[in-house]
Amino acid sequence: MKYAYYPGCSLDATGVEFDTSNKLVAKKMGFDLVEIPDWNCCGASSAHAVNHMLALALPARNLAIAEAEGFDTVAIPCAACFARCKTTAFEAQSSPETKAKISDIIEMDYQANIEILSFLDLLGKKIGLDKIKPHVIKPLTGLKIASYYGCLLVRPAKIAQSDDPENPMVMDNIMAVLGADPVEWGYKTECCGASHVMPVPKVGQQMIHDILKNAQINGAEAISTACPLCMINLDMRQKQLNAQLGTNFNIPIFHFTELVALSFGYSPKEIGLSKHFVSSENLIKDTLSTGARSDGA
Amino acid sequence: MKRIGVFICHCGSNIAATVDCAKVAEAAQAFPGVSFSSDYKYMCSEPGQEFIKDSIKKYDLNAIVVASCTPRMHEHTFRKTLANGGLNPYMFEMTNLREQCSWVHSDIEKATAKAIDLVRMSVAKVAKNEELFSSTIPMHKKALVIGAGIAGMQAALDIADAGHKVVLVDREPTIGGKMPMLDKTFPTMDCSACISTPKMVEVAQHPNIELMAYSEVVEINGFIGNFDVTIKTKAKYVDHAKCTGCGLCETKCPKKVPNEYDLGMGLRSCIYKPFAQAVPNKPVIDAQNCRKLVEGKCGVCAKVCPTGAIKYDDTESFTTDTFGAIVMATGYDLFKWEDVYGEYGYGKYPDVVTGLHFERMVNASGPTGGKLKRPSDGTTPKTVVFIKCVGSRDSAKGKSYCSRACCMYTAKHAHQFLDKTPDGNAYVFYMDVRTPGKGYDEFYESTLRDGAVYLRGRVSKIYQEGGKLIIKGEDSLIGKQVEVTADMVVLATAMVPSAGSRQLAQTVGFLPDLNGWYQEAHPKLRPVETPTAGVFLAGACQGPKDIPDSVAQAGAAAAKVCGLLSKSQLETNPMTAKTNTAICSGCGTCIPVCPYKAIQLESITERDHHGHRITRNVASVNNGLCQGCGACTVICRPGAIDLQGFKNDQILEEVDSLWM
Amino acid sequence: MDVIEEQQWEPKILAFCCNWCAYSGADLAGLNRMKYPENIRILRVPCSARVNPQFILRAFQKGADGVLVAGCHPGDCHYATGNYYTRRRFQVMKRLLEYSGIDPRRFQAKWVSGAEADKFRATVTKLCEDVKAIGPSRKLGGSK
């Protein structure tokens, strides 16, 4: 089974482990992720803040190429790319004039009929939990994991058409299938602040802090994400937060496919877990042993 | 052969100042069919009316046109004049020369020319008038009230006190509705059960009221004055004739299930009375859960019952009766917020409850003995957040309308909570505060003085954190986000029409509105009637309202019913539709067009042109139900159904006359 | 119509008014002594749904220069649903008139409530002006 794959700019750079684990999972499960040839940046947040048609044309080009290559489905790991592509498709489907204009700009015939899925929905819904289960050889038994979806995967609900915008469950269900213990917590879909932490650190840091705090209070040992920017915000900034806000966060953050890959038997080294800022070494060791905890949890 | 008399009224100078009445009378003399034409100063005066009566005799007139003010003023007056003058009152037409001629024009020549045209129209119409006779339909002097909440009970009592027989039906084992479930009622803080239970007892003891609890209306046929109703009484498994209500069975019943009356927060036995002051004060057995009825075991209640009232082989029973009028008083239910408000947790947080849950908790006879306790751990809440408009005024997720009572009951709840909790904090998230009744705004102000903090903004999310609830909302008046850490959240959920009310409306034969509330005949002028003659509305079934309004409306409905029942027969409006069966093909297209369901297909037997006897269907109009709108006449392609008083030929004559 | 007649021509406009709203609104205009052109002749019907399109065609055939149908606002019909039929019926009326060779601008269907005296006045005044601008109706088969 072949799916078009749109990594987007971040999966080549700061989110490179997400790309790695996606491909490892695909390999083990036996489906092909075919990178869209000659893909361009989707524009993410910068484009739609500048020019409406540009913001639609950039993702449309990638989708048009995928359509031309004959794909029915494109899987998009980055939540922002996913949101932009879904928006483009939605607007093109709602208005033939817009679709024509986009096709004109990109000089390609954009049909707006390719199925656009986040990598989460590809794995959890389209391919299905029952296809994941047989490959779980090292269940993540007892791992208390908070599934963090972020804001762009489920909102705006009319465009994302993904999961329940208030209480999505796809990732929680995947974690359960891996043998882990998804925790009930209140910040599943709260925004991490995206890039705000840079220009307005006070605001951005507070947003990241609130997510980590709520996960911690609800007993999460780690957080699983499905967006490279969310992941990096939660992972990279913990030390900074501890210094600025006097907290004591030490919560390993994962791309959800990293956990899937782990349970499939790949080693932390193969997955590239050492690239993370907050070390998950001990947690993984404990989890994949008999399930007993060294910290008595 | 028509012999028409035309009378042009001066109406003092009201008409005469702008219209040359003598000239109009003279012109009318020449109209086809006119035997006598005259003008006069005041046609509606006694001498004026005598003039008409004398002229009828003198000139052997058989149809009259009076050209004066608007028929909406004096048509009724002049019809009586004709009747007194020995003519059928419907051999009459009125021309509007005042409101629609002399009063709106100033050019005498043009106004007079117009007046002549208008009189010509009336003369042309009356030439085609036929004698019409009101018919009568009998009035059964018995009323049916469906629903025995406060509105139903009040309506039943008022009708019964007026001396008429009433049957009061309710599908629950007890009457009373929602009101006894409440603790205190705003704005006076009367104990709700204390004021409603006496009414329940009064209803049970009233000699004119037959109370049928645990019963439902299953079929209704007929029409005003003659509703044939079938009522099903569900199997109680307890013979209420033998039962004394001692309650021993309840105490001995081994199986407990969640109590509907306490919204699942308390338990009851399988043989139960919904609450201690239930009327009838006798138990029924819950057939879904009773061990004897489901598994054939137990049977303890029968063993202990001192009068042998337990009847495990009971079955449902049906009764039929005929009623003259029906009052709908089926009340309301609460919106199922758990299905749509994911931001409030979809109902999975035990400490997020509705206002009705709060009422049960704070009620001394409720599941917590009147103490406010968190459902999750039974501790006393110190900070409670109240959220209004959950499902109301929310077209996106809920209902577009306002549920009317919530602003007041939320203020009441906040007040009660602060009263019971000396160091408590109450926050109310609101969009508006609506306090229109007597003493209402003052009540709200006093709640503010109690220390309730009102925040104008909506709540975007509630989640749990370490045993507390975090409420994220907005204070739009200062433009900031707010976050409250609370022990409990009370949602003021929308009122919705009571379950099954739509099907019941269909059974009875009238329509609910777009939101499912029962539709009144006219939103301003006929708030307690439905378009279906003889069916009235009382209480929240017509739309969300509080107790004072429900009681008032119940009295209004009762007054209408008494007005009906005081007659032994009803005179019907004779200007109804009528079928020419010779042309009617029985296609039935007219039937759904009628807003009053007045047309039905009826089987007639006649001889065809070969002399064979055939039976076929034709449209038949019920004169008691037809209100004379004429919608059916236009739908009918062959023109088989026509409206008496406004027939096709009458209208066409009016049209033609303008261009003779 | 010869030149002099045409110069002296005043339109004659037939208005079907429902008893409960439009007719009542017209009465209220009278009560308030509002003034409008004398060209209007009101024909009372119980409900605007009583107005058969054939009545309108008849009026135009006979030489009506304009026809108005006025009823209660949708949702306010005294007989609950009558004006919904009126509304649907007269949405195609203009096309039928055009198809029949009658200037569709001569026909208006309007909602006037019993309280809208001024709307009644404004409606009939405007209709008169519009019809005057179009000119006298040409009867099919008429000598003029």
Side-chain angles (χ1 to χ4, degrees):
Chain A
M1 194 62 227
K2 284 182 170 22
Y3 302 105
Y5 182 64
Y6 177 67
C9 310
S10 44
L11 261 70
D12 253 3
T14 49
V16 66
E17 328 86 271
F18 196 9
D19 190 51
T20 307
S21 53
N22 289 348
K23 291 184 170 146
L24 291 178
V25 168
K27 189 160 152 214
K28 195 46 90 81
M29 289 179 67
F31 61 89
D32 285 321
L33 294 171
V34 180
E35 207 167 297
I36 296 175
D38 195 33
W39 60 263
N40 55 272
C41 167
C42 73
S45 28
S46 351
H48 75 69
V50 164
N51 181 300
H52 183 69
M53 282 316 296
L54 176 67
L56 297 179
L58 286 170
R61 184 173 170 278
N62 298 314
L63 298 171
I65 296 174
E67 283 170 355
E69 294 287 313
F71 289 99
D72 297 318
T73 306
V74 56
I76 307 184
C78 167
C81 302
F82 167 74
R84 292 314 308 159
C85 288
K86 280 294 235 187
T87 305
T88 299
F90 182 82
E91 292 219 21
Q93 283 159 7
S94 317
S95 161
E97 290 87 41
T98 306
K99 187 165 20 150
K101 208 164 162 199
I102 293 174
S103 298
D104 194 40
I105 296 174
I106 62 176
E107 291 173 3
M108 287 185 74
D109 189 16
Y110 174 48
Q111 307 282 1
N113 58 11
I114 190 170
E115 186 186 16
I116 302 169
L117 293 175
S118 62
F119 209 81
L120 195 57
D121 280 343
L122 177 76
L123 214 53
K125 284 199 182 148
K126 189 160 177 89
I127 296 176
L129 299 172
D130 50 345
K131 298 276 190 331
I132 302 174
K133 208 168 163 110
H135 302 284
V136 177
I137 54 174
K138 284 194 171 170
L140 309 175
T141 317
L143 174 65
K144 289 198 172 21
I145 189 94
S147 297
Y148 176 60
Y149 296 77
C151 61
L152 286 173
L153 283 176
V154 294
R155 293 197 292 275
K158 219 183 349 189
I159 290 178
Q161 298 281 325
S162 173
D163 205 338
D164 184 306
E166 292 296 340
N167 187 29
M169 288 298 288
V170 184
M171 207 192 315
D172 296 72
N173 294 336
I174 294 176
M175 292 299 125
V177 149
L178 302 182
D181 197 2
V183 302
E184 269 270 357
W185 67 308
Y187 269 72
K188 270 187 179 179
T189 56
E190 300 299 305
C191 178
C192 68
S195 36
H196 280 62
V197 66
M198 286 185 283
V200 253
K202 215 163 132 205
V203 172
Q205 280 170 6
Q206 189 65 42
M207 294 173 85
I208 298 170
H209 160 274
D210 290 347
I211 295 167
L212 291 168
K213 175 162 160 257
N214 191 268
Q216 194 180 51
I217 287 182
N218 283 289
E221 294 169 310
I223 302 178
S224 155
T225 64
C227 164
L229 187 49
C230 294
M231 191 274 175
I232 209 172
N233 270 337
L234 295 176
D235 182 36
M236 193 170 84
R237 302 279 172 188
Q238 284 187 36
K239 200 164 159 197
Q240 189 182 60
L241 289 183
N242 288 343
Q244 294 270 6
L245 304 174
T247 46
N248 64 342
F249 295 127
N250 187 26
I251 308 171
I253 314 289
F254 296 94
H255 298 286
F256 79 99
T257 40
E258 288 177 324
L259 291 170
V260 180
L262 258 181
S263 76
F264 282 3
Y266 288 106
S267 71
K269 188 149 179 242
E270 285 171 291
I271 300 170
L273 289 181
S274 56
K275 288 201 169 68
H276 294 185
F277 282 79
V278 177
S279 169
S280 57
E281 208 186 309
N282 290 330
L283 180 67
I284 307 268
K285 230 185 282 179
D286 289 343
T287 306
L288 294 183
S289 65
T290 56
R293 289 280 184 277
S294 57
D295 60 357
Chain B
M1 190 58 228
K2 287 287 192 301
R3 296 181 55 76
I4 302 167
V6 180
F7 299 85
I8 314 296
C9 185
H10 291 221
C11 192
S13 62
N14 281 307
I15 296 175
T18 321
V19 172
D20 185 344
C21 297
K23 191 164 175 201
V24 177
E26 197 190 314
Q29 191 74 56
F31 294 161
V34 173
S35 302
F36 175 72
S37 177
S38 177
D39 57 313
Y40 188 73
K41 262 211 156 11
Y42 296 104
M43 289 309 307
C44 58
S45 65
E46 215 187 290
Q49 295 188 47
E50 285 302 317
F51 180 30
I52 296 178
K53 286 193 282 190
D54 288 342
S55 306
I56 291 173
K57 263 198 242 117
K58 195 164 168 191
Y59 301 98
D60 193 23
L61 304 173
N62 53 23
I64 307 290
V65 169
V66 172
S68 57
C69 50
T70 172
R72 291 170 66 88
M73 184 134 233
H74 278 313
E75 187 171 57
H76 188 66
T77 314
F78 290 118
R79 287 223 174 105
K80 280 211 282 245
T81 310
L82 261 77
N84 290 334
L87 288 186
N88 180 291
Y90 295 91
M91 298 305 291
F92 172 71
E93 288 299 321
M94 234 172 120
T95 315
N96 190 331
L97 289 190
R98 193 180 70 174
E99 283 84 340
Q100 293 179 6
C101 191
S102 67
W103 275 355
V104 290
H105 303 315
S106 33
D107 181 319
I108 296 181
E109 204 184 303
K110 289 187 182 167
T112 306
K114 174 170 168 173
I116 293 174
D117 264 358
L118 292 177
V119 172
R120 194 186 301 119
M121 282 169 78
S122 300
V123 168
K125 186 179 179 193
V126 86
K128 295 283 188 197
N129 275 27
E130 287 168 346
E131 293 189 329
L132 297 177
F133 303 92
S134 304
S135 47
T136 59
I137 44 178
M139 173 57 66
H140 275 85
K141 288 176 184 290
K142 206 170 190 182
L144 171 65
V145 178
I146 306 180
I150 186 65
M153 293 194 293
Q154 187 62 51
L157 285 169
D158 287 346
I159 299 170
D161 281 344
H164 301 292
K165 294 258 181 265
V166 184
V167 170
L168 178 57
V169 173
D170 197 291
R171 64 182 172 193
E172 297 299 324
T174 177
I175 60 172
K178 296 280 185 312
M179 197 171 157
M181 292 170 81
L182 310 179
D183 182 35
K184 306 259 189 303
T185 53
F186 58 76
T188 45
M189 299 306 268
D190 296 285
C191 155
S192 181
C194 305
I195 54 176
S196 58
T197 48
K199 286 233 189 271
M200 290 160 65
V201 172
E202 210 188 322
V203 157
Q205 295 177 342
H206 202 295
N208 279 341
I209 300 181
E210 186 189 333
L211 184 54
M212 295 181 76
Y214 217 41
S215 304
E216 292 180 55
V217 169
V218 292
E219 200 181 333
I220 299 193
N221 291 309
F223 47 90
I224 181 177
N226 307 272
F227 290 108
D228 293 314
V229 182
T230 307
I231 300 171
K232 172 180 86 171
T233 301
K234 298 183 268 196
K236 297 177 187 144
Y237 305 101
V238 176
D239 186 343
H240 279 198
K242 293 188 183 152
C243 172
T244 59
C246 70
L248 198 53
C249 50
E250 267 186 293
T251 56
K252 298 293 183 198
C253 177
K255 188 169 175 191
K256 304 278 183 241
V257 294
N259 187 351
E260 295 88 350
Y261 203 74
D262 289 330
L263 305 174
M265 292 189 290
L267 296 172
R268 60 158 172 81
S269 343
C270 293
I271 183 166
Y272 72 105
K273 294 177 217 168
F275 66 108
Q277 294 87 9
V279 169
N281 202 252
K282 297 178 181 180
V284 300
I285 297 183
D286 169 7
Q288 316 291 92
N289 287 298
C290 165
R291 283 202 190 133
K292 179 75 181 175
L293 295 173
V294 175
E295 304 159 44
K297 299 190 185 138
C298 187
V300 169
C301 51
K303 292 184 195 124
V304 300
C305 176
T307 58
I310 312 292
K311 232 178 116 185
Y312 296 123
D313 59 353
D314 200 6
T315 50
E316 58 190 24
S317 57
F318 294 85
T319 48
T320 49
D321 207 343
T322 308
F323 299 93
I326 301 176
V327 179
M328 306 299 299
T330 50
Y332 69 95
D333 272 334
L334 288 180
F335 178 66
K336 281 199 167 60
W337 70 274
E338 306 92 325
D339 291 345
V340 294
Y341 281 88
E343 53 267 54
Y344 302 158
Y346 286 126
K348 63 180 191 247
Y349 304 137
D351 297 323
V352 176
V353 298
T354 66
L356 201 54
H357 285 90
F358 186 92
E359 294 280 349
R360 293 311 300 149
M361 281 197 265
V362 93
N363 193 315
S365 60
T368 57
K371 299 216 183 328
L372 268 179
K373 290 189 179 152
R374 281 167 32 111
S376 60
D377 58 12
T379 56
T380 309
K382 286 284 182 228
T383 303
V384 177
V385 165
F386 299 87
I387 306 180
K388 295 201 287 190
C389 294
V390 178
S392 308
R393 308 178 64 195
D394 187 348
S395 315
K397 283 195 163 174
K399 308 291 170 184
S400 56
Y401 52 80
C402 165
S403 291
R404 204 158 168 144
C406 331
C407 282
M408 279 307 291
Y409 75 61
T410 299
K412 177 184 74 173
H413 290 167
H415 164 79
Q416 285 178 294
F417 162 69
L418 289 170
D419 206 37
K420 288 182 190 268
T421 318
D423 48 351
N425 294 304
Y427 296 93
V428 180
F429 282 91
Y430 72 100
M431 298 204 289
D432 290 287
V433 182
R434 297 180 164 179
T435 52
K438 266 197 189 173
Y440 285 19
D441 205 59
E442 296 89 326
F443 184 85
Y444 157 64
E445 290 283 333
S446 84
T447 302
L448 290 177
R449 287 195 296 274
D450 288 336
V453 176
Y454 270 67
L455 298 161
R456 189 182 183 278
R458 292 192 66 84
V459 169
S460 64
K461 195 139 182 122
I462 302 177
Y463 59 90
Q464 280 180 322
E465 197 171 86
K468 295 272 190 188
L469 290 165
I470 312 292
I471 292 93
K472 286 182 136 181
E474 185 199 3
D475 184 347
S476 62
L477 294 180
I478 57 172
K480 281 199 174 347
Q481 289 188 1
V482 295
E483 202 177 276
V484 181
T485 304
D487 300 304
M488 203 158 98
V489 176
V490 182
L491 305 175
T493 48
M495 283 193 207
V496 293
S498 138
S501 56
R502 186 172 283 272
Q503 294 87 302
L504 183 61
Q506 273 175 358
T507 303
V508 178
F510 66 96
L511 293 165
D513 67 19
L514 293 169
N515 287 308
W517 300 108
Y518 288 161
Q519 175 91 61
E520 56 290 300
H522 189 285
K524 283 171 279 277
L525 299 179
R526 299 173 71 191
V528 298
E529 303 161 74
T530 60
T532 306
V535 179
F536 301 94
L537 303 174
C541 64
Q542 182 255 343
K545 53 177 66 71
D546 53 24
I547 295 167
D549 286 347
S550 296
V551 172
Q553 200 182 37
K560 294 277 180 200
V561 170
C562 290
L564 266 186
L565 298 185
S566 64
K567 306 185 166 81
S568 42
Q569 49 192 29
L570 280 181
E571 208 176 275
T572 59
N573 166 22
M575 291 181 150
T576 53
K578 195 170 169 190
T579 318
N580 178 344
T581 56
I583 317 177
C584 175
S585 64
C587 73
T589 309
C590 51
I591 295 177
V593 172
C594 178
Y596 306 99
K597 296 196 170 45
I599 311 179
Q600 272 176 336
L601 281 179
E602 207 177 64
S603 173
I604 57 166
T605 311
E606 52 185 23
R607 289 198 188 278
D608 67 10
H609 43 274
H610 296 298
H612 299 135
R613 188 177 282 163
I614 53 160
T615 306
R616 65 185 182 94
N617 284 338
V618 291
S620 168
V621 179
N622 178 325
N623 288 322
L625 291 177
C626 174
Q627 301 294 312
C629 70
C632 53
T633 59
V634 183
I635 292 279
C636 179
R637 277 156 283 210
I641 195 164
D642 208 349
L643 181 62
Q644 294 170 106
F646 290 93
K647 289 184 298 175
N648 288 324
D649 61 2
Q650 284 175 293
I651 297 178
L652 286 170
E653 287 291 337
E654 279 186 275
V655 173
D656 286 355
S657 73
L658 277 179
W659 286 281
M660 291 207 130
Chain C
M1 217 183 256
D2 64 28
V3 175
I4 295 175
E5 275 178 11
E6 220 166 290
Q7 280 175 344
Q8 293 168 339
W9 165 73
E10 281 282 351
K12 200 181 260 189
I13 297 170
L14 178 58
F16 291 91
C17 290
C18 85
N19 180 59
W20 303 95
C21 282
Y23 193 89
S24 178
D27 278 349
L28 189 61
L31 270 157
N32 289 321
R33 310 295 195 274
M34 295 182 177
K35 298 284 178 263
Y36 52 80
E38 297 84 353
N39 311 83
I40 302 291
R41 309 282 181 269
I42 295 177
L43 196 158
R44 183 167 74 126
V45 286
C47 178
S48 57
R50 179 72 190 89
V51 182
N52 196 316
Q54 292 197 39
F55 300 160
I56 296 162
L57 290 173
R58 175 78 148 235
F60 280 122
Q61 258 193 339
K62 291 284 176 180
D65 299 301
V67 174
L68 169 70
V69 172
C72 308
H73 287 265
D76 290 346
C77 179
H78 179 83
Y79 303 98
T81 48
N83 54 6
Y84 294 139
Y85 294 103
T86 313
R87 178 166 61 176
R88 275 188 239 168
R89 215 168 266 150
F90 294 118
Q91 267 169 355
V92 292
M93 191 69 190
K94 290 218 180 209
R95 273 189 263 159
L96 174 62
L97 290 174
E98 193 174 21
Y99 183 75
S100 311
I102 300 164
D103 191 326
R105 293 174 296 171
R106 296 186 184 278
F107 172 75
Q108 289 271 338
K110 284 266 183 269
W111 310 123
V112 179
S113 86
E116 290 178 315
D118 194 59
K119 186 169 180 193
F120 182 81
R121 182 205 56 78
T123 302
V124 299
T125 307
K126 177 139 199 313
L127 183 56
C128 282
E129 281 165 12
D130 291 348
V131 167
K132 269 203 186 129
I134 300 170
S137 80
R138 309 268 173 235
K139 269 164 57 179
L140 185 72
S143 52
K144 292 159 193 194

